[in-house]
Amino acid sequence: MIEVASFKQDLNSIDSSATVRMNNSFSSSSDDEDEVAPDPVLFIQRQVSTQWKWTIQQLKDKITSIAIKCIQQHRITELYDQAMNTCQAQLKCINDPHCHYLLAYYYHHGYTSSGIDLKKSEYHYHQAIQHHYLLAYYGLFQLDRDKRKQSNQQHVDQQQLARKHAARLVKAAAFGLHSAAIQTLRSLYRTSQEWKQEINQLKCYHDQIVKQLKQDTSTLSDSYNCLGFLEYLIHTCNTLDQLYDQANDEDIRVPAKSFDHFLKASQLGDPRGHMNYAFYTELDTPLYHHSQEVSLQQSDQIKHYYQAVRLGHPLAAIKLKANMRENRQEIQTIIKHQFYLEQCCQEVPYSDVVNQLGSMYFNASQPYYMDIIRGKNYFLQAITSYPSMAGPIDRCEYFYLGMMYELGIGIERDITTAAHFYASSIHPHYEINLALCRLAKLIEKGKLPQFDINDAVQLYQYGAYSRAIQVAPYCHYRLGTIVGQQQYQHCPFYQPLSVHLHMDIAFNCFDEEIQSLWQYSPIQLMMAAYHITQTYYNKQFMVQHFQLDYQWTQNQLQTTSTAATYYKLGLLHQYGLGGAIKDFKKSVEYYRQAVELSCPMASINLSLLHGCQEDGDCQQLYYQVYSNLKELALIQLQHLITATLNGSIRSIDIMHDRVKTYSTWRDIVDDRLKILNKYLNRKILGFINKKLNNCTVGKYHAEVGILLMVKNYQHYKRSDRDTTNEILKHFQESMKLGNASGMFLFAFTKFKIKSTDPKTKLIEIYQKAAALEHPGANRMLFIHYNSSHSSHSTSSSTHSHENGVHDDDKKTTYLSAAARYGFPDAIANLAISLKYQENHSVDMVRQLLHQSLADKLLGCYKVDLPIAELGFLYQHYSSSSHHYQLAAHYYAIDAFYQMENSKSRCFLANLILKGHVNASNKLADAIKLCQSAIYIQDDSYSAYAHYLLGKIYNQHQLSSHINNQNMATEHYNAAFQLFHHSRHSSITSMAYYYLGVMCQFGCGRKKDLVKAKQFYSYGLRSKCNANFYFSKYYINKCQDKLHMLKDGSRKADTQL
């Protein structure tokens, strides 16, 4: 609904001269501003701005001057020249109206080296109009107006102008939701009698067309769409006139006649009718729900948008993308959005579509879908494209390109080029977004020598007027930190008394939004680390990862195929990865084989391969698309219940989301409960037929318990006694009848509600279910023994050690069983468990870790996995010529996916510091990765992060602003304390090794070789009780250090 609200705000701006610019981001300085209701933010802003030397217009002129100095005009001209050559070459092959429009636009505004050529511009506009290209209607109107201004005509013949352009502007608005055309028509209808008369005559003309009903379908549908828009336009303008502009757009309803006309157009098979009907419903109903007139649910909007897409309207694809329900599944939503946008981009590459695609590749929530280079190319393409004008305009390409060059993401770091792109957002577009903040920060920090602090302050002052959520608070925050500093007391902006006013706005009025740009806040550090990891992610390595996965899985199919094998092949064929052909039919076949072998994830993925038209799904993205939601819900419920019976907890969350969102789901769950309870009640009364054996009845009880859990999810999560007792009663009945799913669910629910039942009793129930080969029970048992093993590892007693060994045996048994069913965390833990590793090679361990990651990399599995372990194996146990790059790649993925994991950040920082991987900003990257690792507060790896920071600040050969002995000592001391605390944890050998190193070389303390030897000896005797190869690596390093010390080698005293 955000898009509609923004659209309505856009309509409030009537100034036709600004209709092709971005939405004004600064407050108006008109005389009637005091009539607005008191606003504490505006009040403080006025107090601050009255102390400034410049007016808002003067500030605008100042920042324009700053931006122009940053802009590399030759770079812009080259981009537009390339785009013009591409259009001209394409026109030789095909008469493309979009190319004609772009050429007209370039000649109109003089963006290419050819400069402004209004004759050529007019020619190409007319060529585009001949093909009914909607943007050209408004472009030609704008050109005509500009020509009249250049000729200095004192009097503009509005009647002539209206006769020439009114009908075209109405078509642009009615057929393409052209926001600038709508704003212009609203302004001219209310201010020009000639335009008002012409628009009313157009309405009469279209009324006559539809009354005759003798025209062809195309003409009729055109008139219905125009009438629908004109009814809305005239009604809105008349209402505003009657209320003397006291009403807001939100208070004005879309007239019912508009919907009648749009509906009639859609009934004639016109996609524009479907699009208008959905859009104006969206515009009308979300803000105020009335019992009369129009009231459509979101599902109806989706249906009409979908019909418009199906009938070939590209703009509807943009609207559908913005309105599709996003609670189905994250990865499926990404694929669906990308499909519709790329489909639209192929037909008409509008800048807003291209920008969205660029953002999807740059900000992908899953690394597999992240493609920095492709995102950059889309952003560059967006610069020379033109927006669809079907909604709010966002020229975000300049900000993203600037950030890529500033931080060196996917490209060589270049501050000057970063400033160029940031400045291009300001001039000529005047979009005041985070690009202004970043440009001001570069100037403030002295990164652009041609500017000084006064320029940064002027940028911040202008940004302080912005309505953008993050821009104004950040600008006030920076001003609050600058204007009171003594070093600036001779500068014109020095105003120490206004510091508290700036900070009041930043902190009190805008809450925590400002934190997203603080340099040293946890949020900023985490985001900085996030962007750093992007630079070490390698798309080609990811492709190779799935190729190996497919190769290994194919081999397993020929030898020892399990449920996991079939599930993995289904996954690879679903997404077309690693050499597997993308084939939904083949994917479903493999999933069904996996389901027969009780794989719960296969059941979930089967449910997600079905879609329905009501939800905006199309056949290209699904195995089967149903016509309505009920048909889809019935098949999905069946698969998700099967997944839950086999031990998936995620399927319960998915079903709950469906029930919460869709009334259809609530109905089918209720219906299914009635049917099952009817069967069970008849069984109790003895009237049931003999075909319902104990196995079936046990399954029915388990299913009833699951459905009650889903239906009463909130009560269940709050451990409501009545609800949980009813659920447990059915699971217990199922358990009594020997049903393994009932046993698993009973024990799981007891653990979930933190029952007072003895833990050993519940473990025994899991064990009984596992003995019956229940997948989920095996997984839960390995999780139990894993946590039990961790507690044993903290004790040094012989009895605890013996128990730990016994638990290792049990854990490996359950791990192996759970891994056969395809649980990724079971496969990964099987790879790194002690017993398994001692019996197999590093290559086998690495292969298992590889195979465990596919679900995670595709966003299908939410449980954290040991991705950093795979990076560690590549770094220290691989003969590959790219082993350091592969290690950095997997460390980056781990940090990308698992934001609370500090291990990968530290290991990646160490690789960077040692120069094993190329880094454009070596020290800054390493420092930010270590700082972000410390904020995660994992003592074991916070210790390592402190150690690395101590090492960085202690090195004298580095620049003076980095070398800081006091900071080095503080970090070393923190590292020593944390390592000492962690010496009985899962990183025992690592902790003892670095404790020895700090004693041996005097890191933050006096050298003490005796203690160093003690620590190395302790490390040498530590057990490989968590990760065999990790522990083995540090045990070997302890051994090497002891040999060096015993030999009295000089190297031990001089090399750190």
Side-chain angles (χ1 to χ4, degrees), residues 592-663:
R592 284 174 177 166
Q593 287 177 285
V595 170
E596 288 179 8
L597 296 173
S598 303
C599 175
M601 288 79 67
S603 295
I604 293 176
N605 284 12
L606 271 177
S607 76
L608 298 172
L609 274 172
H610 296 80
C612 77
Q613 293 182 7
E614 288 185 12
D615 230 10
D617 301 331
C618 61
Q619 193 64 54
Q620 294 95 318
L621 300 177
Y622 295 89
Y623 169 69
Q624 188 169 354
V625 176
Y626 297 93
S627 60
N628 58 69
L629 195 56
K630 184 175 182 179
E631 292 177 347
L632 173 65
L634 286 169
I635 192 71
Q636 286 187 331
L637 182 66
Q638 176 187 339
H639 288 304
L640 292 170
I641 286 176
T642 301
T644 310
L645 290 171
N646 285 326
S648 170
I649 308 306
R650 177 175 164 234
S651 54
I652 298 174
D653 295 330
I654 295 173
M655 286 188 283
H656 168 65
D657 287 339
R658 302 286 195 277
V659 168
K660 184 174 67 174
T661 307
Y662 304 106
S663 60

Side-chain angles (χ1 to χ4, degrees), residues 403 407 434 438 441 470 474 477 507 510-532 895 899 905 928-929 931-937:
M403 185 169 64
L407 302 177
L434 294 178
R438 296 309 310 162
K441 191 69 175 286
Q470 291 183 326
Y474 180 71
Y477 167 71
F507 288 94
F510 292 91
D511 299 321
E512 298 180 356
E513 294 292 344
I514 188 173
Q515 293 187 17
S516 64
L517 283 175
W518 282 358
Q519 184 174 3
Y520 296 110
S521 74
I523 295 175
Q524 174 64 5
L525 278 173
M526 295 301 282
M527 290 308 299
Y530 171 84
H531 289 305
I532 289 168
M899 295 290 282
R905 298 165 189 269
K928 288 176 182 176
L929 285 168
Q931 287 175 333
S932 67
I934 291 170
Y935 274 117
I936 295 173
Q937 296 183 340

Side-chain angles (χ1 to χ4, degrees), residues 998-1013:
M998 285 188 280
C999 289
Q1000 180 182 355
F1001 296 102
C1003 300
R1005 63 198 55 252
K1006 290 183 179 180
K1007 289 184 180 182
D1008 191 332
L1009 298 184
V1010 175
K1011 278 191 175 181
K1013 288 180 181 179

Side-chain angles (χ1 to χ4, degrees), residues 679-729:
Y679 280 130
L680 295 175
N681 289 334
R682 286 171 63 84
K683 173 71 176 178
I684 293 168
L685 295 172
F687 297 129
I688 200 73
N689 63 54
K690 295 181 180 179
K691 290 183 179 179
L692 272 185
N693 54 31
N694 285 346
C695 180
T696 305
V697 174
K699 181 182 176 183
Y700 282 175
H701 273 295
E703 188 175 340
V704 170
I706 292 167
L707 292 173
L708 288 173
M709 194 184 292
V710 169
K711 182 180 178 181
N712 304 296
Y713 192 76
Q714 295 303 326
H715 296 290
Y716 161 71
K717 287 195 77 173
R718 292 196 298 266
S719 301
D720 178 76
R721 181 175 297 178
D722 293 337
T723 302
T724 52
N725 284 344
E726 180 71 12
I727 292 168
L728 286 169
K729 182 185 78 172

Side-chain angles (χ1 to χ4, degrees), residues 124-140:
H124 286 291
Y125 277 137
H126 279 294
Q127 290 297 311
I129 286 172
Q130 287 180 13
H131 292 83
H132 309 292
Y133 193 80
L134 299 177
L135 293 179
Y137 291 146
Y138 186 81
L140 188 60

Side-chain angles (χ1 to χ4, degrees), residues 688-936:
I688 200 73
N689 63 54
K690 295 181 180 179
K691 290 183 179 179
L692 272 185
N693 54 31
N694 285 346
C695 180
T696 305
V697 174
K699 181 182 176 183
Y700 282 175
H701 273 295
E703 188 175 340
V704 170
I706 292 167
L707 292 173
L708 288 173
M709 194 184 292
V710 169
K711 182 180 178 181
N712 304 296
Y713 192 76
Q714 295 303 326
H715 296 290
Y716 161 71
K717 287 195 77 173
R718 292 196 298 266
S719 301
D720 178 76
R721 181 175 297 178
D722 293 337
T723 302
T724 52
N725 284 344
E726 180 71 12
I727 292 168
L728 286 169
K729 182 185 78 172
H730 285 284
F731 291 152
Q732 193 167 23
E733 288 295 326
S734 177
M735 183 170 61
K736 287 178 181 177
L737 294 170
N739 186 279
S741 297
M743 298 174 192
F744 165 78
L745 290 164
F746 181 83
F748 171 79
T749 305
K750 283 283 188 177
F751 273 120
K752 187 74 175 178
I753 64 174
K754 298 179 180 178
S755 168
T756 56
D757 292 31
K759 186 176 180 181
T760 53
K761 179 182 176 182
L762 299 178
I763 294 297
E764 286 175 3
I765 295 173
Y766 274 145
Q767 288 172 336
K768 289 179 181 178
L772 295 172
E773 298 185 355
H774 187 274
N778 280 286
R779 177 174 177 268
M780 284 300 176
L781 282 168
F782 103 69
I783 291 173
H784 161 70
Y785 283 107
N786 200 38
S787 60
S788 174
H789 183 89
S790 297
S791 64
H792 287 315
S793 68
T794 61
S795 173
S796 59
S797 71
T798 305
H799 179 68
S800 296
H801 175 67
E802 290 175 354
N803 284 341
V805 172
H806 181 61
D807 284 352
D808 276 338
D809 294 332
K810 288 185 175 181
K811 176 184 167 185
T812 303
T813 301
Y814 295 126
L815 273 172
S816 300
R820 287 197 300 271
Y821 294 110
F823 288 107
D825 50 345
I827 298 172
N829 276 275
L830 184 60
I832 64 172
S833 65
L834 172 63
K835 290 292 183 182
Y836 194 86
Q837 289 181 354
E838 286 183 331
N839 297 326
H840 291 81
S841 67
V842 178
D843 289 337
M844 178 60 74
V845 175
R846 189 161 47 236
Q847 178 179 331
L848 283 169
L849 284 172
H850 261 282
Q851 292 181 306
S852 71
L853 299 184
D855 301 68
K856 187 77 175 178
L857 296 174
L858 294 170
C860 303
Y861 203 71
K862 305 302 180 185
V863 176
D864 283 355
L865 295 176
I867 305 174
E869 309 295 345
L870 186 55
F872 190 87
L873 287 178
Y874 272 115
Q875 181 177 352
H876 299 293
Y877 294 95
S878 173
S879 58
S880 169
S881 59
H882 303 293
H883 67 110
Y884 287 131
Q885 290 77 13
L886 280 161
H889 168 72
Y890 285 107
Y891 291 149
I893 289 177
D894 186 70
F896 188 106
Y897 268 116
Q898 297 165 173
M899 295 290 282
E900 296 182 0
N901 191 345
S902 56
K903 181 193 298 186
S904 55
R905 298 165 189 269
C906 296
F907 289 161
L908 180 57
N910 189 39
L911 275 178
I912 295 169
L913 286 173
K914 288 186 175 181
H916 292 320
V917 291
N918 293 327
S920 59
N921 204 12
K922 177 178 175 180
L923 289 176
D925 285 358
I927 289 171
K928 288 176 182 176
L929 285 168
C930 290
Q931 287 175 333
S932 67
I934 291 170
Y935 274 117
I936 295 173

